[in-house]
């Protein structure tokens, strides 16, 4: 039986990847940071919680990482753990770097000393492209990060390549563009939009407050993307792959898609910071711009070129943005109905 160790199993991708690997017959071990609040909602939602063996773990603690690897003896390690929220990385850049950059190095160095045969997946990101040097972005596009998060992930990307080349470790990096799902963290823009607008549709009096609605992202479905992670570790040789849909949409378009799916009768009014969305049925403002949600430096446009993954991994995205909005809103509606 194949054994996989997933760091960051309580996050969005951790849940979908656990489900995929358990369905494939793996024994899955998951790492968890201790906390006083419930962390297993995603894993329970996908019905995998009871099939996973959990370990206390923090990427900041080398001996802890080594002990977990020695105890679980994994064939594959998927390093999904990270401080992954870009705005927070401006607030706590040093902790973000310690977790995201040195944390990755701590795992790689542990693999190198414990068992070089363990295959390793690193969760790299389109945030490394930042102020993009090319459109669309591919594996060969130069990096220009725009946040401490992006910078921290470039270290982990290159240290993964370095350990592969120096010590012959099967270490691959997936440069994943934004991927979303019903299980996306509540602060990320897509989830914030679908959950808030759904609550408003069901009678909540709140207003959706967002930042830069002109930012464009290449959004895919997390369920499709974790399959690419697994494919990378099944390849004979390790490598780096861009995983994306090849399409880009603005936050404004994502808001439109959500409003339409929820059947709001609405209109956009005003300009710039005063732009807002009004519900034509009662004249109330449903969405407005708030400077609190702008970042010190922004990534304006991301659009990935997934040709290498299509060619070499035979991977392609299956879920359109419209289908993704449906999945997310349907889930948010069920949460309200079952509350
Ligand atoms: P997520 O939902 O934010 O999950 C992050 C996970 O990392 C959580 O389980 C979190 O645990 C854990 N974690 C944070 N700090 C830790 C630490 N010091 N030690 C151990 N665990 C720690 O992220 P995601 O969306 O699933 O993304 C998975 C990975 O892919 C991340 O590395 C992210 O940076 C990267 N990525 C994501 C996207 C995307 O669009 N989703 C795109 C490209 C790359 P707690 O539950 O304790 O917070
Ligand atoms: O922002 C704009 C914001 O926070 C997307 C992480 O998973 O994907 C994610 O990073 C865009 C940005 O994701 C709000 O300025 C407007 O331009 O959903 P997000 P992100 O920063 O792209 C990458 C690939 C990762 O690797 C990261 O880990 O939306 N935006 N208004 C807003 N964003 C947020 N969060 N909230 C707003 O109100």
């Amino acid at each position: 039986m194949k054994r996989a160790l997933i760091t960051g199993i309580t996050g969005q991708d951790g849940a979908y990847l656990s489900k995929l690997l358990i369905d494939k017959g793996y024994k899955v071990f998951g790492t968890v940071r201790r906390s006083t609040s419930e962390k297993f909602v995603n894993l329970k939602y996908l019905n995998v919680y009871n099939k996973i063996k959990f370990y206390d773990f923090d990427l900041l603690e080398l001996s802890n990482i080594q002990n977990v690897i020695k105890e679980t003896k994994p064939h594959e390690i998927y390093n999904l753990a990270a401080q992954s929220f870009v705005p927070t990385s401006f607030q706590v850049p040093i902790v973000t770097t310690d977790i995201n950059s040195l944390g990755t190095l701590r795992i790689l160095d542990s693999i190198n000393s414990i068992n070089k045969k363990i295959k390793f997946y690193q969760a790299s990101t389109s945030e490394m492209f930042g102020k993009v040097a090319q459109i669309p972005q591919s594996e060969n596009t130069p990096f220009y990060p725009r946040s401490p998060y992006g910078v921290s992930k470039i270290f982990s990307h290159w240290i993964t390549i370095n350990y592969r080349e120096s010590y012959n470790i099967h270490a691959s990096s997936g440069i994943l563009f934004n991927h979303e799902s019903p299980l996306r963290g509540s602060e990320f823009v897509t989830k914030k939009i679908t959950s808030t607008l759904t609550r408003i549709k069901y009678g909540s009096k709140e207003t959706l407050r967002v930042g830069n609605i002109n930012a464009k992202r290449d959004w895919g479905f997390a369920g499709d993307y974790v399959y690419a992670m697994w494919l990378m570790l099944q390849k004979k040789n390790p490598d780096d792959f861009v995983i994306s849909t090849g399409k880009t949409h603005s936050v404004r378009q994502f808001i439109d898609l959500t409003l339409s799916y929820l059947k709001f009768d609405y209109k956009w009014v005003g300009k710039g910071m005063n732009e807002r969305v009004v519900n034509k049925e009662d004249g109330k403002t449903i969405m407005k711009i708030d400077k609190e949600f702008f970042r010190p430096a922004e990534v304006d446009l991301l659009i990935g070129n997934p040709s290498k993954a299509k060619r070499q991994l035979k991977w392609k995205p299956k879920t359109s943005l419209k289908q993704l909005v449906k999945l997310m809103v349907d889930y948010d509606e069920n949460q309200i109905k079952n509350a």
Side-chain angles (χ1 to χ4, degrees):
M1 194 182 206
K2 267 202 177 174
R3 289 185 302 275
L5 176 62
I6 302 177
T7 73
I9 202 157
T10 56
Q12 168 189 259
D13 292 5
Y16 285 100
L17 182 64
S18 312
K19 167 108 181 77
L20 176 85
L21 297 184
I22 286 166
D23 288 349
K24 286 190 177 297
Y26 278 67
K27 175 68 201 164
V28 171
F29 304 99
T31 75
V32 183
R33 270 197 303 182
R34 207 209 77 79
S35 105
T36 39
S37 55
E38 162 72 276
K39 284 202 176 189
F40 301 109
V41 194
N42 291 347
L43 297 165
K44 286 180 180 165
Y45 179 74
L46 294 181
N47 285 323
V48 289
Y49 172 71
N50 291 324
K51 296 173 185 143
I52 297 166
K53 181 142 195 245
F54 297 100
Y55 286 83
D56 284 334
F57 179 94
D58 201 306
L59 274 177
L60 299 175
E61 198 69 58
L62 178 65
S63 61
N64 170 226
I65 295 172
Q66 291 174 336
N67 289 339
V68 170
I69 295 176
K70 281 180 190 159
E71 215 169 303
T72 56
K73 296 187 176 46
H75 299 100
E76 298 172 3
I77 297 180
Y78 295 85
N79 182 31
L80 308 184
Q83 192 304 95
S84 76
F85 192 48
V86 172
T88 297
S89 77
F90 288 101
Q91 305 306 323
V92 290
I94 297 168
V95 173
T96 299
T97 305
D98 202 340
I99 297 172
N100 296 2
S101 307
L102 293 182
T104 305
L105 177 53
R106 289 182 188 105
I107 299 183
L108 282 163
D109 211 55
S110 303
I111 291 176
N112 195 31
S113 60
I114 296 168
N115 177 6
K116 285 190 184 48
K117 290 212 170 94
I118 298 171
K119 294 183 181 177
F120 178 75
Y121 172 84
Q122 172 56 21
S124 286
T125 165
S126 50
E127 280 295 298
M128 301 188 303
F129 298 124
K131 191 169 177 179
V132 298
Q134 269 174 357
I135 298 172
Q137 297 85 53
S138 73
E139 293 78 6
N140 301 319
T141 302
F143 298 140
Y144 190 149
R146 296 276 281 169
S147 63
Y149 171 78
V151 175
S152 72
K153 283 285 186 169
I154 291 180
F155 176 90
S156 50
H157 182 74
W158 278 110
I159 203 68
T160 300
I161 294 170
N162 182 259
Y163 268 60
R164 169 166 91 215
E165 294 177 352
S166 307
Y167 306 115
N168 205 20
I169 291 171
H170 193 298
S172 291
S173 249
I175 308 177
L176 270 55
F177 281 61
N178 297 52
H179 45 281
E180 319 293 313
S181 75
L183 307 183
R184 184 60 142 149
S186 58
E187 289 175 300
F188 297 93
V189 78
T190 56
K191 182 69 176 174
K192 182 174 165 182
I193 293 168
T194 64
S195 61
T196 312
L197 291 179
T198 307
R199 285 196 302 273
I200 295 173
K201 185 73 189 178
Y202 279 75
S204 166
K205 302 282 176 251
E206 69 201 294
T207 303
L208 170 65
R209 294 182 303 123
V210 290
N212 177 12
I213 54 173
N214 297 316
K216 290 181 144 185
R217 290 291 184 275
D218 180 333
W219 279 299
F221 172 49
D224 294 344
Y225 284 36
V226 297
Y227 181 53
M229 297 176 185
W230 177 76
L231 286 173
M232 281 179 223
L233 296 207
Q234 310 319 305
K235 270 196 94 224
K236 186 162 181 281
N237 297 315
D239 205 343
D240 308 314
F241 292 93
V242 159
I243 302 298
S244 69
T245 69
K247 298 190 177 82
T248 193
H249 293 85
S250 62
V251 172
R252 177 195 300 273
Q253 285 172 304
F254 194 92
I255 293 172
D256 272 327
L257 283 170
T258 307
L259 288 167
S260 302
Y261 183 64
L262 280 164
K263 297 197 168 57
F264 273 102
D265 188 9
Y266 70 96
K267 63 179 177 191
W268 289 82
V269 295
K271 280 206 171 117
M273 290 300 289
N274 294 320
E275 199 165 7
R276 59 202 174 95
V277 173
V278 172
N279 187 346
K280 288 212 259 179
E281 284 161 22
D282 55 12
K284 287 202 176 122
T285 297
I286 312 173
M287 187 235 66
K288 66 179 181 186
I289 310 291
D290 188 330
K291 64 177 183 336
E292 181 188 336
F293 298 105
F294 282 78
R295 298 170 182 189
E298 176 63 286
V299 172
D300 294 317
L301 163 76
L302 289 172
I303 175 164
N305 175 357
S307 322
K308 181 176 170 187
K310 283 187 179 167
R311 245 184 0 262
Q312 296 192 20
L313 298 176
K314 310 284 175 239
W315 176 88
K316 61 172 190 233
K318 290 185 183 148
T319 314
S320 70
L321 189 60
K322 226 173 155 181
Q323 288 168 323
L324 179 61
V325 169
K326 178 180 171 358
L327 282 175
M328 294 176 75
V329 173
D330 288 353
Y331 174 91
D332 295 333
E333 278 184 326
N334 276 330
Q335 295 290 102
I336 293 172
K337 285 176 190 160
N338 298 327

